[in-house]
Amino acid sequence: MGQKEKLIQKLKSKPKDFTFDETETLLRYLDFVRFDKGKTSGSRVIFVSEEHGSIMLHKPHPQKEMKAYQVKQLLETLEQEGLI
């Protein structure tokens, strides 16, 4: 099993320790490109895919782990798009 499949399995288990780096890696595997929304965006980051639209997330800080609601929203979005 490759890293992509491992990240998908981990995301589906809705862990409390899913990091922003893991999210970014998974979205990269799914052909999303990261864009910071500009100098005034703060922690907002948008991931864009030509086929599947965009996903906007807040980069967590100071911790590295995503909040539970973010993991749930990400999972729901990727399932709705048929990506996982």
Side-chain angles (χ1 to χ4, degrees):
M1 181 183 318
Q3 184 179 12
K4 176 182 174 181
E5 290 79 18
K6 287 180 183 177
L7 286 172
I8 290 171
Q9 267 191 338
K10 185 174 180 180
L11 178 65
K12 285 184 174 183
S13 72
K14 298 179 186 173
K16 295 192 184 299
D17 64 344
F18 201 76
T19 66
F20 185 81
D21 290 340
E22 289 172 320
T23 301
E24 187 171 10
T25 300
L26 177 59
L27 290 174
R28 210 173 317 120
Y29 281 132
L30 299 172
D31 296 324
F32 283 83
V33 178
R34 175 184 170 167
F35 291 97
D36 294 322
K37 291 192 48 109
K39 291 182 180 182
T40 60
S41 70
S43 61
R44 289 180 293 173
V45 178
I46 192 164
F47 294 91
V48 179
S49 166
E50 288 185 24
E51 285 184 50
H52 303 288
S54 61
I55 298 173
M56 188 166 74
L57 298 170
H58 283 86
K59 186 174 181 179
H61 54 83
Q63 74 281 6
K64 295 179 183 179
E65 294 80 20
M66 303 280 286
K67 301 284 186 193
Y69 79 91
Q70 292 175 304
V71 172
K72 182 180 176 189
Q73 287 176 344
L74 178 62
L75 180 59
E76 288 173 356
T77 301
L78 295 178
E79 285 176 339
Q80 286 174 357
E81 290 293 325
L83 293 168
I84 59 173

